[in-house]
Amino acid sequence: MSEAQAPAAPLYQQVRTVLRRQIESGQYSVNSTLPTEHDLARSFSVSRATIRSAISGLVSDGFVKAQPGVGTLVIRTRPQTRTATLRGLTEDLGVKGLTTRAVVLKAEFAIPSPLVRARLELFADERVLHLVRMRTIASTPFALVNSYVPESAGISPDEDFTGPLYALIERSHGLPIGHGEDIIAARGARADEADILQIAPGTPVLYLRRTAYLEHDKPVEYVECAMRSDLYEYCVTLPRSQNV
Amino acid sequence: MSEAQAPAAPLYQQVRTVLRRQIESGQYSVNSTLPTEHDLARSFSVSRATIRSAISGLVSDGFVKAQPGVGTLVIRTRPQTRTATLRGLTEDLGVKGLTTRAVVLKAEFAIPSPLVRARLELFADERVLHLVRMRTIASTPFALVNSYVPESAGISPDEDFTGPLYALIERSHGLPIGHGEDIIAARGARADEADILQIAPGTPVLYLRRTAYLEHDKPVEYVECAMRSDLYEYCVTLPRSQNV
DNA sequence: AAGTGGTCTAGACCACAGA
DNA sequence: CTGTGGTCTAGACCACTTT
């Protein structure tokens, strides 16, 4: 091959894409079956293993369900409901088609409170980067965000914090964030929050506390966030526990 | 077949189990690599495809990570953090070690509001079972729950609703609940809610709306729930999106 | 009995990482 | 360069569902 072309995707991915498009375009309707794996192998001129690999992807995507002795059943024409994933507020709103800006009110190293120290599993003398940001939708403030990141994360107070914080953390560590835990409560806005969020003190706000972890369960971020509930609601899609 | 024996698990599952036990027992430590696929194939006396199938399972479980040109890296010795799962309030509190009782305030078939009809994707003339329940912790009311279940679910108003509703639904359908979507907001308690929850009107409460679906995205339950945030906080563990 | 997906083999070539 | 995981093939036999 002397051609210097964009490398072709693996065969099984190509097949998966084709089948997926056919399903999404209604060529195979719900409750109908795909052609048999042998037939697909013939018509795509690939081995059956390749077809199985492609179908396996469609199963993960929730499009089809394999039934031994019957066939490969189409169970959905749209991709499976996306399961809950951890997103920063910037990304979350991005998904909803809203653009948001962060205004940095404070960015400095500080001695963590005992609560923050416990959440981040810090040693006694470790400092944290304390970040206070306000987020707006269409120039209306809707969230006051307190973020705490261990000093060891190597993020400087001088960085640009108007974008997604997660991106900075992931870049700094070279490691992706593994998972997070959210705790959500409702309470009345405190005076300082009310002032910034432009609401009356005591107005019910969503109060989110999140701890984010790296892959090896090492905490990298603790966030406390007060949000105007009239501008933002917390949404999550939950899979039913599969008794693994 | 005259033998009534437990059928042996597929080879790749056996291999996966063996490797998993070895990882969990510390035989392979974090950041070390598994033997190469070729070596594993030799030592297990199976084909490399079988080994790859086994390893693929370990990847899903979050135990290892395959790195082209390097090897199969062990990244965890405990199974991946359990992801968020859908639980009814009864189950949820049970996990937290609290026992709760439900007091049924209302259980009757009713004409659904347009919102409920939309959420449950009902036909125009379908009725719903409307259930109003109050939940208590240590005899203090903490949640006022409005549940709506399609009449077609086949649940009678005379059932025992003091336990988990999900159990009734799953038993009635013989099908498990597939997933759910929660929307969480904060707002002040309405007069009727405040009365039942024994708080002042306007006190901030968590307001949860949940739609639960069967496997094929058929809605089976819509819930609106006002909760005292001083007695209950909403917790969820979120996996970071894996860019599939 | 025929046909389905589920499993398995024994090869092969590739792109990539590290010495 | 060697060795790794990633992909792919052309078969094979099995348990299962349906006819």
Side-chain angles (χ1 to χ4, degrees):
Chain A
M1 287 187 218
S2 51
E3 298 285 6
Q5 239 173 261
L11 274 181
Y12 74 95
Q13 281 181 23
Q14 298 181 34
V15 172
R16 172 175 164 181
T17 301
V18 170
L19 290 175
R20 176 176 172 145
R21 295 230 171 100
Q22 291 179 338
I23 292 172
E24 285 180 331
S25 73
Q27 197 156 336
Y28 300 112
S29 58
V30 171
N31 285 328
S32 69
T33 59
L34 255 43
T36 73
E37 297 180 350
H38 290 94
D39 286 350
L40 287 172
R42 258 192 300 277
S43 59
F44 279 101
S45 298
V46 298
S47 75
R48 189 175 155 228
T50 302
I51 294 293
R52 280 185 63 75
S53 190
I55 289 183
S56 150
L58 295 176
V59 171
S60 313
D61 293 346
F63 283 107
V64 302
K65 183 165 126 185
Q67 296 203 306
V70 181
T72 306
L73 212 63
V74 177
I75 58 177
R76 221 186 294 265
T77 313
R78 298 266 157 250
Q80 192 172 32
T81 312
R82 211 191 46 258
T83 180
T85 60
L86 181 61
R87 282 192 295 264
L89 278 180
T90 310
E91 299 171 86
D92 194 14
L93 294 167
V95 168
K96 292 185 181 148
L98 299 170
T99 57
T100 177
R101 283 195 336 118
V103 178
V104 179
L105 304 180
K106 183 172 172 182
E108 58 186 37
F109 286 116
I111 308 292
S113 70
L115 170 66
V116 171
R117 181 179 297 134
R119 294 284 190 204
L120 293 176
E121 299 174 15
L122 297 177
F123 295 116
D125 55 345
E126 274 187 276
R127 291 192 307 168
V128 294
L129 174 63
H130 181 197
L131 208 59
V132 182
R133 294 184 295 175
M134 177 186 76
R135 306 208 81 104
T136 60
I137 297 181
S139 69
T140 304
F142 83 96
L144 179 61
V145 187
N146 279 265
S147 306
Y148 303 89
V149 181
E151 184 173 16
S152 60
I155 296 185
S156 140
D158 304 322
E159 309 240 17
D160 173 19
F161 294 115
T162 58
L165 181 55
Y166 285 11
L168 292 182
I169 294 177
E170 297 192 339
R171 197 202 55 200
S172 159
H173 280 78
L175 284 176
I177 289 179
H179 69 281
E181 285 171 20
D182 286 1
I183 301 174
I184 300 158
R187 63 166 172 72
R190 292 192 315 251
D192 58 319
E193 295 165 350
D195 190 40
I196 289 179
L197 296 178
Q198 301 179 8
I199 51 179
T203 303
V205 292
L206 269 184
Y207 186 61
L208 165 72
R209 283 159 290 165
R210 166 178 295 176
T211 312
Y213 299 84
L214 288 183
E215 285 207 339
H216 298 320
D217 296 341
K218 177 173 167 49
V220 285
E221 187 198 17
Y222 174 65
V223 175
E224 292 180 345
C225 176
M227 294 181 286
R228 283 180 61 168
S229 190
D230 57 338
L231 296 180
Y232 181 85
E233 293 180 326
Y234 183 92
C235 302
V236 63
T237 301
L238 301 168
R240 179 84 169 150
S241 84
Q242 31 231 4
N243 54 338
V244 175
Chain B
M1 281 183 230
S2 51
E3 297 285 3
Q5 225 170 282
L11 273 183
Y12 74 96
Q13 281 183 21
Q14 297 180 36
V15 172
R16 172 175 164 181
T17 301
V18 170
L19 289 175
R20 176 174 172 146
R21 296 229 170 103
Q22 288 179 339
I23 292 171
E24 285 181 330
S25 73
Q27 199 157 332
Y28 300 113
S29 56
V30 170
N31 286 329
S32 69
T33 59
L34 255 44
T36 73
E37 297 179 349
H38 290 94
D39 285 351
L40 287 171
R42 259 192 299 278
S43 59
F44 279 102
S45 298
V46 298
S47 76
R48 188 173 155 230
T50 303
I51 293 293
R52 279 184 64 76
S53 189
I55 289 182
S56 151
L58 295 176
V59 171
S60 314
D61 293 346
F63 282 107
V64 301
K65 185 165 124 186
Q67 295 202 305
V70 181
T72 306
L73 211 63
V74 178
I75 58 178
R76 214 186 293 269
T77 47
R78 297 264 157 255
Q80 199 166 25
T81 309
R82 209 193 52 254
T83 181
T85 59
L86 180 62
R87 282 194 295 264
L89 278 180
T90 309
E91 298 172 85
D92 195 14
L93 293 167
V95 170
K96 292 183 181 149
L98 299 171
T99 58
T100 178
R101 282 195 336 120
V103 178
V104 180
L105 305 180
K106 183 173 172 183
E108 59 186 35
F109 286 116
I111 308 291
S113 70
L115 170 66
V116 171
R117 181 179 298 136
R119 294 284 192 202
L120 293 177
E121 298 173 15
L122 297 177
F123 294 115
D125 55 346
E126 275 187 276
R127 291 192 306 168
V128 294
L129 174 64
H130 180 196
L131 210 58
V132 182
R133 293 183 297 173
M134 177 185 74
R135 306 208 80 105
T136 61
I137 298 181
S139 67
T140 305
F142 84 97
L144 179 61
V145 187
N146 278 265
S147 306
Y148 303 87
V149 181
E151 184 173 16
S152 61
I155 296 183
S156 139
D158 304 323
E159 308 241 14
D160 173 19
F161 294 114
T162 59
L165 180 55
Y166 284 11
L168 291 182
I169 294 176
E170 297 192 339
R171 195 202 57 201
S172 159
H173 280 79
L175 283 176
I177 289 179
H179 69 283
E181 286 172 18
D182 286 2
I183 301 174
I184 300 159
R187 62 165 172 74
R190 293 194 313 252
D192 57 320
E193 295 165 351
D195 190 41
I196 288 178
L197 297 178
Q198 301 180 7
I199 52 179
T203 303
V205 292
L206 271 183
Y207 187 61
L208 166 71
R209 283 158 291 165
R210 166 177 294 177
T211 312
Y213 300 85
L214 289 183
E215 281 206 342
H216 296 323
D217 295 342
K218 179 173 168 47
V220 286
E221 187 198 19
Y222 175 65
V223 176
E224 292 180 343
C225 176
M227 295 182 285
R228 283 180 62 168
S229 190
D230 57 337
L231 296 179
Y232 181 83
E233 293 178 325
Y234 184 91
C235 302
V236 63
T237 300
L238 301 168
R240 178 81 169 154
S241 82
Q242 27 233 358
N243 54 340
V244 177

